[in-house]
Amino acid sequence: MKIDSNITDSEWEVMRVVWAQNKTTSKDIRDIIENKKNWKPATTKTLIGRLVDKGVLNTEKDGNKYIYSTNLKESDFLKSTLEQTFDNICNKDIGKIIADLISKSTLSYIDIEELEKVLEMKKEDAVDVVPCNCVPGQCKC
């Protein structure tokens, strides 16, 4: 089955519970999300159904209830989503966007050290000017 990685903000809420719990029921998902969202049980079930249809969630019958899980790692899914987003951005803008994301993020000293290491390694492959990757007329380069 092909996985549709385009998920809505509400579907993200469900997935975050599944990733944190590993295996869970719709009731557990509802109970956890209830602290953040005022969803009716049908809303949660609809979102779960969409995620199953998209191939993101697995179902397993256990008596009269279903257990939901995923084979997708949260970090891999996030990375894939970000890569898809960056594929739609002019190469010349990516550095500025990353810098903006970093400036708006709360980071630990360990996070900053890791970023510094990555940036130091990136210097080895750095170019004077990043070439535009857009079709003429897609950006303002």
Side-chain angles (χ1 to χ4, degrees):
M1 169 184 258
K2 186 178 182 316
I3 294 172
D4 179 356
S5 63
N6 294 316
I7 65 174
T8 66
D9 291 345
S10 296
E11 291 168 344
W12 270 108
E13 295 289 344
V14 172
M15 287 306 299
R16 291 190 66 207
V17 173
V18 175
W19 279 315
Q21 304 303 312
N22 293 323
K23 289 187 173 198
T24 189
T25 64
S26 61
K27 183 186 180 322
D28 292 337
I29 293 169
R30 260 194 338 270
D31 290 348
I32 292 168
I33 294 177
E34 185 177 86
N35 295 318
K36 188 175 183 181
K37 303 283 186 183
N38 191 19
W39 290 345
K40 294 185 170 143
T43 302
T44 305
K45 287 184 180 185
T46 297
L47 295 169
I48 290 169
R50 286 185 197 161
L51 290 164
V52 169
D53 290 345
K54 291 179 179 187
V56 177
L57 281 184
N58 305 320
T59 58
E60 170 187 330
K61 193 156 174 71
D62 181 25
N64 63 347
K65 62 184 173 186
Y66 286 95
I67 307 294
Y68 300 97
S69 63
T70 185
N71 295 334
L72 302 171
K73 290 183 185 174
E74 184 176 14
S75 59
D76 292 343
F77 197 76
L78 286 167
K79 199 180 301 182
S80 170
T81 301
L82 286 172
E83 286 171 357
Q84 287 175 352
T85 299
F86 283 137
D87 285 345
N88 295 316
I89 298 171
C90 179
N91 279 346
K92 287 185 161 200
D93 294 334
I94 290 176
K96 290 180 229 152
I97 291 168
I98 291 171
D100 189 46
L101 287 170
I102 290 169
S103 71
K104 291 179 181 176
S105 300
T106 302
L107 301 171
S108 69
Y109 288 110
I110 293 171
D111 294 332
I112 293 169
E113 285 175 9
E114 183 66 26
L115 287 167
E116 288 172 338
K117 286 178 192 172
V118 170
L119 288 171
E120 202 54 45
M121 289 188 316
K122 289 300 285 183
K123 282 183 182 177
E124 295 173 17
D125 300 325
V127 296
D128 291 329
V129 177
V130 175
C132 175
N133 61 326
C134 301
V135 173
Q138 270 190 329
C139 68
K140 296 181 182 187
C141 294

